[in-house]
Structure formats: C-alpha cells, structure tokens
Amino acid sequence: MPHDHAIQCIHDPLLVVLSYLVSVLGSFTALQLAIAIPAARTAGQRLRAIFTAGAAMGGGAIWAMHFIAMLACRMDLAVSYDPGITATSAVVAMVSCMLGLGIASAGTFGWGKLIIAGLFMGLGVTGMHYSGMAAMVMPATIHYDTTLVGASALIAIVASIVALWLAFNLRGWMQMLGSALVMGVAVCGMHYTGMQAATFVPMHDAPAHVAGLSGANLGMGIFTVTTALLAVMLVTSLVRQRQRAMVQI
C-alpha cells in the first residue's frame, strides 16, 4: 500500500561492501569450523564444533552482515538501535544456526533431515532480521509488504539448506571460498529483500532525538571487531586441523 510521506532508505556503498565481505568471511570460517563436526570423537567435541561453527555463521556471516547493512541505511530522520533487542537478534541468529548444524549432523545424512534443519535455521534467520528491524528507534513507523516478507523468508530457508549441505559436503579451500562468495550473495539477498519490504512513514508528533546505538563509525567498528574475531576462529581451526592431521600420520 503506497504511503504519501514515506521516507526512502539510501544505502552507504562502503558499508554495503563491508557487509558483504563480513558475510563471506563468516561463511568461509563457518565452513572450515564445520569440518570438526563429523570428525569429532566425543559428544563434547561435537558440541564445541557445532557451537563455534554456528557462532561464526550466525554471528559473523548473518548477524554482523545484517547490522552493518542496517547502519548503511541512511534516512532523513534520526535512527538508533535498542541494545537489548539488537543483542537478542544476534542470539537468535547464532542459536538457529547451531540448531540447524546440530539437526543436520545428527546420525546419518539425509535430505529430509537437511530440509528440516534448513527450515529451523532459515526461520531463525528471518526472525533475526525482523527483530533487528524492530530494534530501530526512530520517529517513524514501519509498514511491510507481506509478499516481499515472504520472499525474504524463502530466500533465508533456501540459503540455510544450501549452507548446511555445503558444511557437510565441502573440504577443498577453493570450493569453500567459492561457496562462501555465493553464501554472501544469498545472505545479502535475504537482507535487502527484507529492507525492500519495509516502508518508513514519519510520525510528526514524535521527538526528533532518539536514544540507542547509533553513530557514523558504528558500522566500521562492528566490521573491525567481527573480522578480528572471525580471523582468530579461522586460524585456531586451521591449527587444530593440522594437529589432527599430524596425529593421524
């Protein structure tokens, strides 16, 4: 439904690029970490591998990409983000990815199980996106196009099924890098479809100043911190893989 006074969201190109890069790095790191899930010899090792791979996928590839891309959205009104809801959206993303990896890796691999795991993960990612949108504190209301909301959810579910299949079927570096590049496109596609579904309509009687997370440098800060954490996780994973290979020789 068109709105006469709707505000357009203009995206900052630099933050859009950074959101894609962090999604690719998060996807690549998660795929590397997922190698340890089927290789685990104990329940504790398996849980730790699911936790770290899910954190990299949900926190880095998905949530950090989403939040940086949200900060890339520039509008002619003051916008900040509620810290509690924003933190909750990050937890939702990570837990849904951990659940997806846990379901998909339990017992013998099968397409039925993979689709159920992807459904859980995809709906969790969708929940993360729209709870992240609900964290926006601004003198405006958000109206959604239900068709585009449905499309964004479908993209999230399909991307999740693909990500889970890749996590348990890829081992080569070049395969993983190519898959991470594609996953970055899928995650960004879900986010920007969700953003396209939103129309922002100003509330003229609302206060101009809003409190919460904001600032021009916040997106750069999130990118820097997330990249550093993912790099540490990736290096640690590669060192452990080498140690396991040395033990087997």
Side-chain angles (χ1 to χ4, degrees):
M1 179 185 206
H3 297 273
D4 295 335
H5 304 291
I7 294 177
Q8 293 298 315
C9 173
I10 307 299
H11 286 93
D12 180 322
L14 174 61
L15 289 180
V16 169
V17 171
L18 293 182
S19 72
Y20 173 70
L21 291 177
V22 81
S23 187
V24 170
L25 178 60
S27 298
F28 183 79
T29 304
L31 291 173
Q32 280 289 336
L33 291 165
I35 291 174
I37 299 173
R41 295 178 180 177
T42 67
Q45 287 178 348
R46 181 173 175 273
L47 284 173
R48 188 164 57 246
I50 289 171
F51 180 86
T52 54
M57 179 64 77
I62 295 169
W63 179 81
M65 177 275 141
H66 158 83
F67 194 55
I68 293 169
M70 290 290 291
L71 293 168
C73 176
R74 306 284 191 227
M75 293 188 288
D76 292 332
L77 48 79
V79 180
S80 65
Y81 295 86
D82 180 282
I85 301 176
T86 299
T88 300
S89 71
V91 172
V92 168
M94 289 188 280
V95 170
S96 65
C97 288
M98 291 172 194
L99 280 173
L101 287 165
I103 294 168
S105 65
T108 319
F109 180 84
W111 278 101
K113 188 169 57 176
L114 182 70
I115 290 168
I116 291 169
L119 193 63
F120 267 99
M121 185 168 151
L123 291 176
V125 170
T126 305
M128 176 282 303
H129 176 83
Y130 290 103
S131 61
M133 294 285 284
M136 296 178 80
V137 183
M138 58 185 174
T141 55
I142 306 176
H143 301 265
Y144 288 106
D145 179 320
T146 52
T147 303
L148 287 175
V149 169
S152 69
L154 184 61
I155 292 169
I157 291 167
V158 172
S160 296
I161 292 170
V162 171
L164 291 169
W165 186 89
L166 293 171
F168 298 107
N169 289 277
L170 288 188
R171 291 298 175 263
W173 268 73
M174 291 308 294
Q175 280 183 310
M176 286 188 181
L177 179 58
S179 299
L181 291 167
V182 173
M183 277 304 301
V185 172
V187 173
C188 289
M190 181 269 160
H191 173 85
Y192 291 111
T193 301
M195 288 299 290
Q196 192 66 33
T199 301
F200 303 93
V201 180
M203 297 184 297
H204 299 293
D205 55 347
H209 178 71
V210 289
L213 298 171
S214 62
N217 297 321
L218 186 58
M220 290 291 291
I222 295 287
F223 174 79
T224 303
V225 171
T226 305
T227 300
L229 289 172
L230 288 170
V232 169
M233 293 172 78
L234 182 58
V235 170
T236 304
S237 171
L238 293 174
V239 168
R240 284 181 177 162
Q241 284 177 39
R242 180 161 291 187
Q243 288 172 343
R244 284 197 296 269
M246 293 293 286
V247 169
Q248 291 170 1
I249 292 174

